[in-house]
Amino acid sequence: MIAEGAEVVCLDNLISGELAHIAHLRGHPKFQFVEHDVASPIQLDGVDAVFHLASPASPNPDSQKSYIAHPVETALANSQGTHELLKLAERNGAGFLFASTSEAYGDPLEHPQRETYWGNVNPIGIRSCYDESKRFGEALSMAFFRSHGVKARIVRIFNTYGPRCDVLDGRVVPAFIGQALAGLPLTVHGDGSQTRSLCYVSDLVDGLWRMMNEPRTCGDVVNLGNPEEHTVLEFAELIRKLCGSESRIVFEGLRADDPTRRRPDIAKAQALLGWNPTVPLIDGLERTIQWCREQPA
Ligand SMILES: NC(=O)c1ccc[n+]([C@@H]2O[C@H](COP(=O)([O-])OP(=O)(O)OC[C@H]3O[C@@H](n4cnc5c(N)ncnc54)[C@H](O)[C@@H]3O)[C@@H](O)[C@H]2O)c1
């Protein structure tokens, strides 16, 4: 966005983020960081666009950065936080984008997942602080669009990875890379036959930018993700090979409410935004592995 000439104010309470991830932007005259919980009121003027991406996002119960470790904060970031940021957009007459998730589909009974599918979500399960608060955030965004005229749109993001991911937050790509580079066993939950579709981060950012700049997306929801589907075991084997690692692959119990299949139908994004993922899986993984290699141990 800064490259497009925009001035960016980044609000983050650092519950799952790291200042190191924005080190390359600090000091830039068009970038400002404010440590702030989006669930608290915020006063900002001259805002043209609000991108609401603030939420813990890792489902790994062993990680201190996961939404399982911070269920109340997660539920509030996507409910109260969405309310505060919608009010900010309304006061400024700004565009609003809510980063929802493929988890809004739960463990889907339809495959691939289209935006018209309403989902199969456990409302009281261990993941519900995330899944259900994202669903509420979607509903609140639509309420502000319908009754307050806010230019709100919703993106359902499917698994995204890339440099500046966190090897400790337990998501599948950084976890496997961290384990493979450290010579540790790669931990697969269940038998590894559950599927995921991985989108490289620059493709996602391109989609978010197009979404905000396309007026026809107001009051609508669009999937963004890469439809190339693989099993988790295939990802483990590929990452191990690309890392040149001889680590074993070990199998642990399946996590509660872990979706068995996950692949976006992106026909709507293609038609509305002219968007397609462009970074092939191997290229994206190699760039991510290279970045991880360059990090201090
Ligand atoms: N990466 C994915 O695969 C994926 C998939 C679906 C949806 N998403 C959504 O995209 C967004 C970004 O995810 P990410 O993967 O970059 O995760 P991340 O944890 O790296 O980034 C989220 C950021 O939000 C901040 N945050 C959390 N709660 C906050 C609050 N109350 N106030 C201010 N800041 C807060 C965290 O400190 C962190 O820096 C999230 O909303 C997530 O739900 C991501």
Side-chain angles (χ1 to χ4, degrees):
M1 285 195 288
I2 291 175
E4 306 280 339
E7 285 180 36
V8 173
V9 180
C10 168
L11 308 176
D12 198 308
N13 66 354
L14 302 174
I15 191 169
S16 63
E18 298 280 342
L19 283 178
H21 295 163
I22 52 167
H24 59 298
L25 295 168
R26 305 283 303 263
H28 193 292
K30 294 200 165 198
F31 181 82
Q32 186 189 348
F33 173 74
V34 180
E35 190 167 338
H36 177 80
D37 184 337
V38 296
S40 305
I42 178 86
Q43 189 58 50
L44 282 174
D45 298 322
V47 177
D48 298 314
V50 178
F51 290 80
H52 177 13
L53 290 116
S55 171
S58 163
N60 180 0
D62 302 325
S63 166
Q64 275 315 303
K65 297 186 168 188
S66 71
Y67 55 75
I68 310 281
H70 301 285
V72 174
E73 293 84 349
T74 302
L76 291 177
N78 291 305
S79 54
Q80 201 169 320
T82 305
H83 189 207
E84 292 301 335
L85 295 178
L86 279 161
K87 288 191 290 182
L88 174 69
E90 184 178 15
R91 282 195 303 272
N92 282 273
F96 179 86
L97 182 150
F98 179 56
S100 186
T101 169
S102 53
E103 303 282 333
Y105 298 118
D107 191 5
L109 304 177
E110 267 188 36
H111 193 76
Q113 291 81 53
R114 280 193 298 264
E115 291 86 349
T116 46
Y117 178 50
W118 290 355
N120 177 39
V121 176
N122 178 350
I124 58 164
I126 193 163
R127 289 170 172 248
S128 61
C129 58
Y130 184 69
D131 305 1
E132 291 291 17
S133 67
K134 288 289 189 186
R135 289 167 66 95
F136 175 76
E138 291 193 10
L140 194 62
S141 300
M142 290 306 295
F144 267 74
F145 166 74
R146 291 194 177 104
S147 70
H148 292 213
V150 172
K151 294 172 277 179
R153 67 268 285 162
I154 300 154
V155 174
R156 294 198 183 123
I157 301 172
F158 284 65
N159 293 62
T160 299
Y161 72 100
R164 302 195 193 94
C165 54
D166 192 329
V167 293
L168 297 180
D169 87 359
R171 280 179 268 185
V172 62
V173 171
F176 286 158
I177 294 176
Q179 290 169 328
L181 292 181
L184 297 168
L186 276 64
T187 314
V188 168
H189 293 273
D191 62 4
S193 63
Q194 66 274 38
T195 66
R196 296 292 182 270
S197 309
L198 300 180
C199 184
Y200 190 69
V201 62
S202 60
D203 282 331
L204 177 75
V205 170
D206 175 44
L208 296 178
W209 185 247
R210 286 173 191 240
M211 189 79 188
M212 182 64 92
N213 288 300
E214 173 49 67
R216 289 177 299 162
T217 63
C218 286
D220 209 348
V221 56
V222 175
N223 288 335
L224 289 180
N226 191 322
E228 186 182 324
E229 182 182 9
H230 293 276
T231 68
V232 168
L233 184 55
E234 284 167 352
F235 286 124
E237 287 166 345
L238 179 59
I239 288 171
R240 180 173 63 173
K241 184 169 154 220
L242 293 175
C243 289
S245 164
E246 297 189 350
S247 292
R248 288 181 304 127
I249 294 177
V250 297
F251 297 87
E252 291 191 353
L254 196 60
R255 289 184 182 142
D257 297 331
D258 200 24
T260 45
R261 298 193 76 184
R262 189 47 68 67
R263 173 157 65 96
D265 182 317
I266 60 166
K268 193 167 174 182
Q270 288 167 324
L272 259 180
L273 310 174
W275 179 84
N276 271 299
T278 59
V279 179
L281 179 63
I282 302 234
D283 289 8
L285 287 176
E286 279 176 342
R287 288 182 216 175
T288 310
I289 291 166
Q290 183 57 34
W291 182 84
C292 288
R293 281 191 201 280
E294 288 162 5
Q295 303 315 300

